Amino acid sequence: MLRVQAQVAYLPRWHCYPHADCLLLYFFGFITLHCRLFVGLWHWRPRPFRVFSRPLRYSFPANAEEGMAQALQAAYISTHACPACSAGVHCNAAAQRNYGSLSSMRREEVATLLTESVESVSLNGSPQKVAAEEKPSFANLLEVDTVTEAELKENGFRSTRRTKLVCTIGPACCSAEQLEAMAMGGMNVARLNLCHGTKEWHSQVIQRVRRLNAEKGYSVAVMMDTEGSEIHMGDLGGESAVRTEDGEAWVFTVRKFEGQLPPRTAQVNYEGFAEDIMAGDELVVDGGMVRFEVVEKVGPDVHCRCTDPGLLLPRANLTFWRGGHLVREGNSMLPTISSKDWIDIDFGIAESVDFIAISFVKTADVIKHLKSYIAARSPQRAIGVLAKIESCESLKNLKDIILVSDGAMVARGDLGAQIPLEQVPSVQQEVVQLCRQLNKPVIVASQLLESMIEYPTPTRAEVADVSEMVRQRVDALMLSGESAMGQFPEKALSVLRTVSLRIEEWCREERIHESSSLQQLATSLPDQISEQICNAGALMANKLEADAIFVYTKGGRMASLLSRNRPDCPIFAFTDSKDVRINLNLRWGLIPFRLDFSEDMEVNLRRTFSLLKARGMVKAGDLIIAVSDIAPSSQSNMLQSIQAVLLQVRVSLNAVMDYTI
C-alpha cells in the first residue's frame, strides 16, 4: 500500500451523502481493478474516508513523457499519507482519483498537480486546507553524471567503463570549453598540481569545474596534489621547458638571483645540496629524463656535465647516486609536509576540494596528523587524503600508510628514480593488490602515454602498459604531462578510455578474475555482516549474470565493499549525500547517484526504478541485485539486506520481486 495526500472535490448535490465519493471510487474500481469490487466492499465501513484497493501492478510507460509523469507520481505517492487513514493504510485509490490516467498526463501537468493547494478530509469529515507544496524538479529527483547517463541510454549496462580516469589540469586544458571537452571524454577527477601555477589560477579552475557540475550535470571531483619537500629544481627563469644537449655544462645552485637566471643555470630548493653531493656523483632529473655528472663544487654552486640529454621541466625532482646507490641523506633531513604544503592544504580546504594527495609520504603518522588537521579545519565536510607512494621510505611502511589513508597513488616517475627500474612493475602490482585487499582506492600515475605530449598517437608499448594496469583492475589511471601541457590532451584521454573499455570487456569474456579471493577485513559483527553481504551480492551478480547491482548507502562503505569485489556488472551507488556521491568517483566500477532516501527499502526501489526507467537507463527484463544499509531512524541497529529484483511486468516470486505502484 502507498501513501497519498487525498483530494476531495465536494459538489453541492452530494453534500448530504457522506460516502458518495467512496461509492464512485468503488464504481470505477470495478472497471480498473479487475472485478475486485466485492473485496473492496468487504473492507468498507462508515468512517470519514477509507478505501481499500489492491496495489496496481507496475507497467512500464509507453514514452518518455508518460515515464516522467509516472516517476513524479511515484515520488509524490511514496512521501504523502492519506490523513483520513487513522490506521496508516496507504490510499492507492485516492491516488488514482487525483491523478487520473497517466497515459494522458504530461510531465508539466503532473508537476502542476503536485504544487496546487488541495483539500483533504480531516478525521471529523470536514474539508481542511493543505498548503501548497514546493514544485519538485524532475532533474533533482535523481542526480547522475551526464556522460554516464548517455552511455547507459545508448549502449546499456555492460557498456559502462569501470576504470576511473584522472586528468592533470594545466595550460593545455584549463579553459571552460576544454574542461567540458575533457568531462565529455570521460574525466572523473580533475587533478591540480600545486607545484605549478598560482593560487588564483587554481581557484579559477576549481570554480570552472564546479560550474560544469552544477550547470551541465557532470560529476567531476577535484584533487589537489601537494609539492612535497623533496629536492627539486626551481622555475627555470619562467621557461616552460628547456632542452639540454649532450656534454653541455650546467650549474645547479642554492643561490638566490634578483633578476634573470644566468644561461644553463638551475636553482635547487635544498640548502644543503652542495654539502651533500660530491664530485663524480650522478645527478638524475625527473626520474631519469635527464642525467648529469658532477664535475666540481665551487661554494654553493655545483658544476655538472650532461650525459643523457632531454627536456628539463620546472620544479623537476632531483636525486643523486653514488656508486650505483641512491644517496638519501638530503631527503631524510626534509619534513614530509613543508611550510608551503601547509599553505596549499589550507587553500584546498578553503576551496572545498574533494581529495588531497600528499607527496613523498614516509610514515603513517604524517597521514594521521594531516587528517586530524583537516577534520579540525573542515568539520562539516570530509576531504579524502591520498598517500603518494614514490620513495623508498614509503615502501618500508607501505601497509601502515595505506591503512590510515583514504587511498594511494603509485607515482612511478619519482618512484623509479629511487628504486631500480626493473623493480617498478612488481612494486606497482604489490601496491595495487594491497590497496584492494585493504579496501582503499589506488591510482597508477606517471608516464602512461608520455609520447602523446608531442605526438597524436601513443606507442604500442604504452598501450600495452595501460592494458596491464586495467587488467590488474586498478581503480583509476592518471594523465600527468599528457593532459597538462601536451599538444593532444583530449586524444590522450580518449586512448585511456577506449583501451580501458576493451580490456575490461576482454577480462569479462575470458573470466580471468573468477578465482581471485579477498581476505576478511572486518573485526566487529556489524562490519562482518556488511562485508559478507557485499561478497555474496557480487558473487550472486556474477553467477546470475545480473545486469547491475544497486546499493543504497549513507556513507559509501557498502558501495566500496562491492567495488572491492570487482563484479562483472556495474554498481549503481545511491546515496543522499552530495559529498559521498562525489567521493565515490574514485572507486572502480561505481556509478554514483544522489537520491533522497525513504526508510522503506521497497519504496526506494520503486522510486529508483521509476526514475531510471523515465530517463531510459533501465528496461523490462533487467536483473538487478539490490543491497542496502539504510535503516529506519527508529531502529538503533543497522538494517542490512540483499535482494534480487527482476524488472518484469508479470513476475512475483520470493527472490524475484515484482514491485508495484
Side-chain angles (χ1 to χ4, degrees):
M1 292 295 190
L2 301 171
R3 298 176 181 269
V4 299
Q5 183 71 45
Q7 289 187 80
V8 181
Y10 281 90
L11 301 177
R13 181 178 178 182
W14 296 95
H15 236 298
C16 56
Y17 301 100
H19 304 297
D21 53 339
C22 295
L23 294 175
L24 286 174
L25 283 175
Y26 288 137
F27 175 75
F28 289 110
F30 180 83
I31 300 173
T32 60
L33 300 180
H34 307 290
C35 301
R36 289 191 170 87
L37 174 63
F38 296 106
V39 178
L41 287 173
W42 185 85
H43 281 270
W44 181 88
R45 45 194 177 277
R47 58 182 66 187
F49 185 86
R50 195 171 204 174
V51 180
F52 171 84
S53 66
R54 184 176 179 84
L56 298 176
R57 190 173 296 277
Y58 184 88
S59 60
F60 288 111
N63 51 57
E65 291 294 341
E66 181 181 339
M68 292 175 184
Q70 191 175 38
L72 287 170
Q73 182 197 13
Y76 180 87
I77 293 174
S78 64
T79 56
H80 294 76
C82 174
C85 296
S86 57
V89 178
H90 303 5
C91 291
N92 228 15
Q96 286 297 106
R97 180 185 61 184
N98 293 334
Y99 285 95
S101 173
L102 283 175
S103 61
S104 62
M105 186 176 300
R106 298 182 62 83
R107 171 182 173 181
E108 293 79 6
E109 295 171 347
V110 175
T112 302
L113 279 175
L114 292 176
T115 59
E116 291 176 347
S117 297
V118 298
E119 286 187 349
S120 62
V121 182
S122 63
L123 293 178
N124 59 13
S126 60
Q128 180 181 0
K129 194 75 173 178
V130 179
E133 299 187 27
E134 182 181 356
K135 181 177 179 179
S137 170
F138 184 80
N140 293 335
L141 294 175
L142 187 70
E143 297 177 15
V144 63
D145 180 68
T146 300
V147 178
T148 303
E149 180 177 359
E151 290 178 352
L152 287 169
K153 289 179 179 178
E154 184 176 354
N155 302 314
F157 290 115
R158 297 284 174 165
S159 66
T160 58
R161 171 175 41 83
R162 316 297 198 267
T163 307
K164 301 305 178 70
L165 304 179
V166 183
C167 298
T168 303
I169 307 303
C173 61
C174 64
S175 69
E177 295 75 16
Q178 291 167 326
L179 288 171
E180 183 173 4
M182 299 292 282
M184 281 294 295
M187 176 177 66
N188 302 109
V189 180
R191 170 184 176 252
L192 297 174
N193 189 352
L194 271 294
C195 291
H196 311 283
T198 64
K199 297 290 191 300
E200 292 75 18
W201 183 87
H202 289 296
S203 181
Q204 289 177 1
V205 172
I206 293 173
Q207 296 307 315
R208 288 167 187 163
V209 173
R210 301 294 190 213
R211 196 176 302 116
L212 274 178
N213 291 344
E215 297 178 0
K216 301 297 182 67
Y218 298 106
S219 180
V220 179
V222 176
M223 176 192 298
M224 189 194 81
D225 199 329
T226 63
E227 179 180 302
S229 58
E230 294 296 281
I231 303 174
H232 58 77
M233 298 191 310
D235 290 326
L236 297 177
E239 295 286 341
S240 59
V242 176
R243 183 170 295 278
T244 63
E245 301 295 338
D246 188 19
E248 199 171 48
W250 276 74
V251 176
F252 292 83
T253 181
V254 296
R255 286 187 293 156
K256 308 298 182 184
F257 294 90
E258 295 295 335
Q260 188 73 16
L261 282 174
R264 294 187 294 277
T265 300
Q267 289 179 300
V268 181
N269 70 323
Y270 174 46
E271 293 292 338
F273 176 72
E275 287 77 14
D276 288 347
I277 203 166
M278 298 175 59
D281 287 350
E282 183 180 35
L283 186 62
V284 179
V285 182
D286 201 11
M289 294 297 99
V290 185
R291 293 176 184 267
F292 295 89
E293 179 186 355
V294 178
V295 178
E296 62 175 343
K297 298 191 297 181
V298 180
D301 299 340
V302 177
H303 294 260
C304 303
R305 179 174 57 85
C306 181
T307 55
D308 285 340
L311 200 64
L312 284 180
L313 301 178
R315 312 189 79 79
N317 177 256
L318 296 175
T319 57
F320 47 96
W321 295 66
R322 185 177 302 150
H325 299 284
L326 178 69
V327 179
R328 301 189 179 91
E329 285 81 1
N331 290 345
S332 62
M333 298 296 293
L334 297 172
T336 300
I337 303 179
S338 66
S339 57
K340 178 184 180 300
D341 291 339
W342 285 114
I343 296 174
D344 292 340
I345 289 169
D346 285 336
F347 167 77
I349 294 173
E351 292 289 341
S352 298
V353 299
D354 303 297
F355 303 98
I356 296 178
I358 302 301
S359 300
F360 300 102
V361 176
K362 299 180 177 68
T363 64
D365 292 336
V366 174
I367 301 297
K368 293 179 182 177
H369 179 53
L370 177 59
K371 294 181 76 171
S372 299
Y373 179 81
I374 293 175
R377 296 295 300 270
S378 179
Q380 303 300 324
R381 189 175 187 276
I383 297 177
V385 177
L386 307 181
K388 294 180 68 176
I389 309 301
E390 51 188 345
S391 66
C392 296
E393 289 80 4
S394 61
L395 294 179
K396 293 177 182 177
N397 305 298
L398 184 60
K399 186 172 182 179
D400 293 337
I401 291 173
I402 293 177
L403 275 172
V404 299
S405 304
D406 298 312
M409 180 191 298
V410 187
R412 304 185 302 177
D414 291 322
L415 182 63
Q418 299 208 11
I419 64 174
L421 290 175
E422 63 272 14
Q423 294 182 14
V424 173
S426 59
V427 169
Q428 171 186 308
Q429 185 165 352
E430 177 187 356
V431 176
V432 170
Q433 292 177 348
L434 183 60
C435 285
R436 183 180 173 190
Q437 290 290 339
L438 299 179
N439 194 28
K440 306 287 185 177
V442 58
I443 306 169
V444 175
S446 303
Q447 302 170 349
L448 272 68
L449 302 171
E450 190 78 4
S451 66
M452 293 195 73
I453 294 178
E454 299 184 22
Y455 302 101
T457 304
T459 66
R460 306 308 181 259
E462 289 171 338
V463 172
D465 180 38
V466 172
S467 301
E468 174 59 21
M469 286 181 275
V470 176
R471 194 191 65 79
Q472 292 178 12
R473 294 194 167 186
V474 302
D475 288 272
L477 303 174
M478 191 180 91
L479 294 175
S480 299
E482 303 94 329
S483 59
M485 63 176 191
Q487 299 183 36
F488 310 98
E490 294 177 34
K491 287 187 177 181
L493 179 60
S494 177
V495 170
L496 282 191
R497 178 172 52 82
T498 54
V499 172
S500 298
L501 283 169
R502 180 62 192 97
I503 299 303
E504 289 167 358
E505 181 183 4
W506 174 76
C507 289
R508 292 192 294 269
E509 292 172 352
E510 299 296 324
R511 299 184 178 275
I512 62 176
H513 295 288
E514 279 192 341
S515 59
S516 59
S517 60
L518 299 172
Q519 67 182 28
Q520 180 173 306
L521 287 176
T523 55
S524 65
L525 181 59
D527 289 343
Q528 289 178 4
I529 293 174
S530 297
E531 187 175 335
Q532 293 305 318
I533 283 178
C534 292
N535 294 345
L539 180 62
M540 182 187 300
N542 290 342
K543 293 293 184 181
L544 298 178
E545 297 184 353
D547 296 285
I549 299 176
F550 285 9
V551 54
Y552 299 83
T553 178
K554 289 282 189 179
R557 174 169 170 74
M558 291 196 77
S560 68
L561 289 171
L562 283 167
S563 171
R564 176 179 180 244
N565 281 273
R566 305 294 196 259
D568 290 341
C569 62
I571 306 165
F572 286 26
F574 299 93
T575 178
D576 58 355
S577 168
K578 291 185 177 181
D579 292 341
V580 172
R581 177 200 169 200
I582 205 77
N583 287 336
L584 291 177
N585 262 2
L586 206 53
R587 292 282 185 171
W588 185 97
L590 287 184
I591 302 175
F593 293 76
R594 202 203 69 80
L595 173 71
D596 290 331
F597 285 148
S598 166
E599 294 181 351
D600 190 333
M601 177 63 174
E602 293 193 13
V603 171
N604 288 331
L605 286 170
R606 285 195 297 269
R607 186 183 303 172
T608 304
F609 294 154
S610 298
L611 293 170
L612 290 177
K613 177 58 185 177
R615 294 170 70 160
M617 288 186 277
V618 296
K619 61 183 184 302
D622 289 338
L623 177 61
I624 307 297
I625 305 298
V627 179
S628 174
D629 61 11
I630 307 302
S633 57
S634 59
Q635 296 185 8
S636 59
N637 296 326
M638 181 179 293
L639 178 65
Q640 301 174 108
S641 64
I642 178 172
Q643 303 177 23
V645 183
L646 183 62
L647 297 186
Q648 286 194 351
V649 180
R650 299 276 181 186
V651 177
S652 181
L653 300 174
N654 291 332
V656 183
M657 307 181 68
D658 176 23
Y659 290 98
T660 60
I661 62 172

